[in-house]
Amino acid sequence: MERTLSIVKPDGVKENAIGEVIKRFEQKGMRIAALKMLRMSKDDAKGFYIVHKERPFYDSLTAFMSEGPIVVMVVEGDNAIVKVREIMGATNPKDAAPGTIRADLASDIEHNIVHGSDSKESASYEIPYFFSALEIC
């Protein structure tokens, strides 16, 4: 059993896509082990996305992620990291496979509805960024 972090980003929350995202994970055999809504400050977003600090999109990404509420969740299942990323689709919705969250719901590469850990290392940093061990069931 593997765990990963997924986030419904501010655009997904604004578009009322929270339930749809969760439904798609659950329909593919994933289990939600922790869930909460919160609003990151700009500093919180900078800390979370610190791995992208040198990238040109860092400032716009952290501004976007702190502009409204988000829903963070721990998703659990066999090969959860790969499966969640498959369910989400490619980062750029134009490149995402039909039927994926991003192909169906996202508007562009910066407003792409969801985030998912891209590796075990990322998940091991990202999950405790938002959840204590007591909050994961």
Side-chain angles (χ1 to χ4, degrees), residues 34-59:
L35 177 76
K36 63 179 146 182
M37 180 181 276
L38 54 94
R39 186 172 184 148
M40 284 197 287
S41 69
K42 177 83 170 186
D43 286 340
D44 293 334
K46 284 182 175 183
F48 181 73
Y49 285 107
I50 194 73
V51 297
H52 298 303
K53 187 176 182 181
E54 302 304 320
R55 301 249 175 116
F57 58 82
Y58 180 70
D59 285 333

Side-chain angles (χ1 to χ4, degrees), residues 2-136:
E2 185 174 68
R3 289 181 174 158
T4 189
L5 183 88
S6 185
I7 301 174
V8 180
K9 295 179 178 182
D11 57 331
V13 173
K14 186 177 179 181
E15 295 296 322
N16 292 318
I18 299 164
E20 182 65 22
V21 169
I22 292 169
K23 179 178 95 171
R24 289 180 186 220
F25 291 153
E26 290 180 333
Q27 285 178 333
K28 296 290 185 174
M30 298 288 98
R31 187 179 85 80
I32 307 304
L35 177 76
K36 63 179 146 182
M37 180 181 276
L38 54 94
R39 186 172 184 148
M40 284 197 287
S41 69
K42 177 83 170 186
D43 286 340
D44 293 334
K46 284 182 175 183
F48 181 73
Y49 285 107
I50 194 73
V51 297
H52 298 303
K53 187 176 182 181
E54 302 304 320
R55 301 249 175 116
F57 58 82
Y58 180 70
D59 285 333
S60 63
L61 174 62
T62 55
F64 167 59
M65 290 300 290
S66 59
E67 77 180 22
I70 60 172
V71 172
V72 293
M73 65 189 94
V74 176
V75 183
E76 183 178 80
D78 292 333
N79 301 310
I81 294 167
V82 169
K83 279 189 181 176
V84 164
R85 293 187 66 78
E86 287 173 357
I87 296 163
M88 292 187 322
T91 303
N92 187 340
K94 294 176 187 171
D95 300 330
T100 62
I101 293 168
R102 289 176 174 151
D104 294 347
L105 305 174
S107 60
D108 60 66
I109 194 165
E110 286 196 355
H111 302 91
N112 62 11
I113 304 288
V114 288
H115 163 89
S117 303
D118 63 3
S119 66
K120 288 182 181 185
E121 294 76 25
S122 292
S124 69
Y125 172 77
E126 293 177 353
I127 291 171
Y129 197 86
F130 294 107
F131 296 98
S132 73
L134 292 174
E135 294 175 300
I136 302 171

